[in-house]
Amino acid sequence: MNLTGFGVAVLVVYSFSEIWYLSYFISQKKILQYLSSFSLSLGALLHFIYIVLLQLDLHRLPLGTVYEVLVSATFLFVLLYLFLEFYIKENSMGVIIVPMILFLLAIALPGIDTDKTLAPQLAGLSFQIHVVFMLLAYSGFTKIGRAHV
């Protein structure tokens, strides 16, 4: 499976996850709660594999373009949401979070271009470190903002 096909697989699993979250939100059946969390976790695993494959194809961290940053940031958002869901034992927010993840990935995945060369400033180690800490800060802010809900 090529990189584009794997990205579509990530979107499909997240879409099924949204269906389970919506079903749980409507019916409040315990089995749907487990299915929604499991499918989001599976989507996060596939998303991680996609990022690793993208990194291997680019020969650098996928942080050089806006689309690459979106793919990486959405992965961090999913991880932090899963942590929050596990921590508070409530997953009704997934019905809101997962569509945002789907929207951001639907924008980002078509824009990924592995053949594009970057300016030396964007491919340097200091820039990559800067972007990693920026994404961690944004993700941490998201977690803190959701923890008080």
Side-chain angles (χ1 to χ4, degrees), residues 26-37:
I26 293 169
S27 71
Q28 296 293 309
K29 292 183 180 177
K30 203 71 164 166
I31 187 71
L32 295 173
Q33 182 180 18
Y34 294 124
L35 283 172
S36 60
S37 296

Side-chain angles (χ1 to χ4, degrees), residues 7-109:
V8 170
V10 171
L11 280 175
V12 167
V13 172
Y14 281 150
S15 297
F16 278 111
S17 179
E18 174 57 20
I19 292 168
W20 294 124
Y21 275 107
L22 187 59
S23 299
Y24 170 71
F25 189 77
I26 293 169
S27 71
Q28 296 293 309
K29 292 183 180 177
K30 203 71 164 166
I31 187 71
L32 295 173
Q33 182 180 18
Y34 294 124
L35 283 172
S36 60
S37 296
F38 175 76
S39 62
L40 188 63
S41 300
L42 179 63
L45 176 65
L46 291 175
H47 197 156
F48 176 74
I49 294 169
Y50 176 81
I51 290 174
V52 169
L53 292 175
L54 183 60
Q55 179 179 355
L56 292 174
D57 202 14
L58 293 171
H59 305 292
R60 60 177 170 75
L61 290 175
L63 303 170
T65 67
V66 172
Y67 302 112
E68 295 168 8
V69 170
L70 271 176
V71 167
S72 301
T74 54
F75 175 67
L76 290 174
F77 294 155
V78 169
L79 285 183
L80 285 167
Y81 173 70
L82 282 170
F83 172 76
L84 183 63
E85 184 178 286
F86 176 76
Y87 182 72
I88 64 173
K89 307 275 190 278
E90 177 61 46
N91 67 348
S92 58
M93 286 295 294
V95 77
I96 297 169
I97 300 295
V98 176
M100 291 189 297
I101 298 302
L102 283 168
F103 177 71
L104 292 173
L105 279 178
I107 291 171
L109 290 175

Side-chain angles (χ1 to χ4, degrees), residues 120-139:
Q121 297 85 356
L122 298 178
L125 182 62
S126 62
F127 178 76
Q128 291 179 10
I129 291 171
H130 163 75
V131 173
V132 165
F133 281 109
M134 177 198 68
L135 289 176
L136 288 173
Y138 283 145
S139 298

